[in-house]
Amino acid sequence: MTDQAPPLAFPADFLWGAATAAYQIEGAADEDGRTPSIWDTFSRTPGRVRNGDTGDIATDHYHRYRDDVALMAELGLPAYRFSLSWPRIRPGGSGSANKAGLDFYDRLVDELLAHGIAPVATLYHWDLPQELEDAGGWTARITADRFAEYAALAAGRLGDRIATWTTLNEPWCSAFLGYGSGVHAPGRADPAAALTAHHHLLLAHGLAVGALRAELPPTARVSLTLNLAAVRPLTDDPADREAARRIDGLANRIFLDPVFHGRYPADVLADTAHVTDWSFVRDGDLAEISRPLDSLGINYYTPTVVAADDPAGPAPRQDGHGGGERSAWPADHGIRFLPAEGERTAMGWPVDAEGLYELLTRLRDELPGLPLLVTENGAAYDDYSDPSGAVHDPERIAYLHAHLTAVHRAIAAGVPVRGYFLWSLLDNFEWAYGYGKRFGMVHVDFASQRRTPKDSARWYAEVVRSGTLRPPV
Ligand code: IFM
């Protein structure tokens, strides 16, 4: 007899996969007609990214995609979530499509399908063409129209083979880290700009849903991926609960209400009234933004714990997203962000799988029947290749086991979770942290570009193969 937990079986049709994003892995920044995105400009600006790292080469996936697909096949992955590069497909962000750029994704998709791997495409994972930023970026309404045009071009070429499309990945980061704290490209720090960008990102999403539906076969699925926050007040004190309400508004309801109910939350409008009058919202925008979706993608890493400011307490932490002089949140005066208790990853993010369960069950209650996908979940650790060439990462296996257990519990509690994508397939360019943070289940030696599956990759391959989660040995 052992006291080990019994194996947990996932539904037979559960979609297992791994995820990446174009700028984080492709490299080939100046090849075949691609023009710079805001991340090229930002990372080439001294002081913006640790160690001066850029995505110029990244994991060289643009040239090595065949080997990478073969590796995915060897690991038995049924699905692969990746993003399309806007400046590769439509250099400069407007005008005609770049045939060479589309050809790359054409070859990638065919290679995936030839190996029996379902492609799951995201249109925007943060690489806005620089020319559009020069014309105002996401603070300019026209950017939303340009995005919908790009969506139509991509779907027109690839829509016969990609069944699942996502418009935006984590628009919270694009708006609030890009235009609020400025720790992400384009590096602007202006709360009013962050809220304007937020609205135009949602408008871009809605317009793109319309453009995709017009191009894609009726069987295609269209989605949005949000990094919603599992927000917890530090204590039950009414002041801490009030802090949690405000951050829940700015992290969660500022997305869920417009996208699923066609309105902005009244309390968020009131909380941000000193920042903007929201006059950038025009008649008809919310109808566009709330076009029906086939599923919602959730990216989860760690919970968000908040408290009312205590002038005598420790210095306020801003948001766990790389610091910065300014807050990412347009209205967080008087709020402290605290780390949850317990073990941390190499990002300093507490390991807390309960937050994923909280988030999934909340969505079950608030959006009954809407299929959910965990489109990102994973952890960075200081992995290294030992003298035998192996990469042992027991902490990542423990993290994944805990979070998959939470997903299983959520399914058992009636949450329609249809799939899980591990972040990430490969170690890659971790934005403002450069190559110093390794999220991959496959180790990448950036000097030689050698790929080595970590122990977690073999462990995950067995979970996927068996559809069953067993306690790590
Ligand atoms: O690497 C990022 C990804 O691009 C978006 N979601 C969070 C990941 C880890 O920070």
Side-chain angles (χ1 to χ4, degrees):
M1 283 285 286
T2 100
D3 58 359
Q4 283 212 324
L8 304 175
F10 280 76
D13 59 354
F14 195 74
L15 190 63
W16 296 98
T20 64
Y23 190 71
Q24 294 180 274
I25 64 162
E26 284 180 3
D30 301 321
E31 276 184 54
D32 295 339
R34 181 187 181 279
T35 53
S37 75
I38 53 175
W39 269 98
D40 295 273
T41 308
F42 189 77
S43 64
R44 291 170 186 171
T45 305
R48 291 301 207 171
V49 173
R50 282 198 194 167
N51 207 29
D53 291 343
T54 72
D56 287 359
I57 299 172
T59 70
D60 197 31
H61 172 78
Y62 190 76
H63 300 114
R64 295 168 193 261
Y65 72 92
R66 283 201 177 83
D67 293 344
D68 290 338
V69 173
L71 187 53
M72 290 181 227
E74 188 203 316
L75 294 171
L77 295 184
Y80 173 51
R81 173 178 181 252
F82 60 100
S83 78
L84 307 175
S85 161
W86 186 350
R88 204 181 283 294
I89 289 183
R90 203 183 191 206
S94 55
S96 51
N98 174 28
K99 182 174 174 309
L102 280 168
D103 285 350
F104 168 67
Y105 295 108
D106 207 67
R107 293 193 298 274
L108 172 63
V109 168
D110 284 348
E111 192 72 11
L112 288 164
L113 293 173
H115 285 80
I117 301 170
V120 175
T122 298
L123 283 161
Y124 188 69
H125 199 125
W126 309 353
D127 42 1
L128 183 70
Q130 182 61 44
E131 287 82 348
L132 296 186
E133 176 57 30
D134 295 343
W138 287 112
T139 65
R141 193 177 169 89
I142 188 80
T143 302
D145 297 312
R146 294 284 173 260
F147 180 67
E149 294 160 9
Y150 150 64
L153 290 175
R157 178 71 183 273
L158 304 165
D160 56 337
R161 282 155 296 151
I162 300 179
T164 305
W165 291 75
T166 301
T167 55
L168 308 176
N169 179 74
E170 301 184 0
W172 184 90
C173 295
S174 300
F176 297 144
L177 299 181
Y179 295 82
S181 66
V183 300
H184 277 192
R188 289 165 64 178
D190 169 359
L195 288 168
T196 314
H198 164 82
H199 179 68
H200 291 149
L201 279 153
L202 289 190
L203 182 61
H205 156 76
L207 293 171
V209 172
L212 290 172
R213 298 257 190 239
E215 286 290 337
L216 295 173
T219 49
R221 291 177 298 275
V222 178
S223 181
L224 166 70
T225 278
L226 300 173
N227 56 324
L228 298 176
V231 183
R232 296 180 192 149
L234 181 65
T235 70
D236 226 18
D237 187 284
D240 289 352
R241 292 218 313 269
E242 167 62 8
R245 177 200 63 73
R246 277 169 48 203
I247 294 305
D248 179 58
L250 290 166
N252 299 327
R253 292 179 290 108
I254 198 171
F255 293 99
L256 295 174
D257 282 21
V259 170
F260 294 102
H261 306 299
R263 58 167 189 261
Y264 278 111
D267 62 329
V268 172
L269 299 181
D271 290 344
T272 56
H274 64 291
V275 174
T276 177
D277 61 5
W278 290 78
S279 54
F280 44 76
V281 180
R282 297 201 189 152
D283 286 352
D285 285 3
L286 285 155
E288 204 65 64
I289 289 169
S290 57
R291 283 172 180 267
L293 295 177
D294 300 306
S295 62
L296 176 66
I298 297 300
N299 293 354
Y300 175 83
Y301 291 88
T302 194
T304 303
V305 180
V306 295
D309 210 352
D310 168 8
R317 282 171 49 99
Q318 286 193 336
D319 45 44
H321 282 278
E325 295 291 301
R326 302 291 206 86
S327 171
W329 306 95
D332 68 351
H333 45 280
I335 296 178
R336 277 185 300 153
F337 292 83
L338 300 130
E341 296 299 318
E343 189 197 325
R344 313 269 185 93
T345 70
M347 298 294 282
W349 296 347
V351 178
D352 188 326
E354 192 61 24
L356 179 55
Y357 180 81
E358 285 165 21
L359 210 46
L360 294 172
T361 48
R362 169 185 180 167
L363 291 168
R364 171 203 62 195
D365 297 342
E366 292 187 9
L367 302 169
L370 182 72
L372 304 176
L373 290 164
V374 176
T375 37
E376 284 183 29
N377 176 239
Y381 289 104
D382 295 326
D383 308 310
Y384 60 91
S385 168
D386 76 8
S388 73
V391 183
H392 301 302
D393 57 342
E395 311 91 338
R396 182 172 291 102
I397 294 174
Y399 180 100
L400 296 172
H401 180 267
H403 288 76
L404 283 169
T405 302
V407 172
H408 189 275
R409 264 177 72 214
I411 295 171
V415 186
V417 190
R418 303 285 191 242
Y420 176 93
F421 291 80
L422 191 157
W423 184 270
S424 179
L425 175 69
L426 303 169
D427 289 339
N428 60 47
F429 176 80
E430 177 53 26
W431 309 112
Y433 294 90
Y435 296 99
K437 303 293 178 197
R438 294 181 174 273
F439 274 92
M441 62 172 168
V442 173
H443 182 273
V444 178
D445 175 82
F446 293 106
S448 65
Q449 293 293 350
R450 194 158 56 87
R451 274 78 161 139
T452 307
K454 303 176 189 176
D455 289 354
S456 60
R458 303 291 177 206
W459 177 86
Y460 186 58
E462 177 53 23
V463 173
V464 170
R465 189 201 61 75
S466 62
T468 301
L469 187 64
R470 293 191 167 75
V473 282

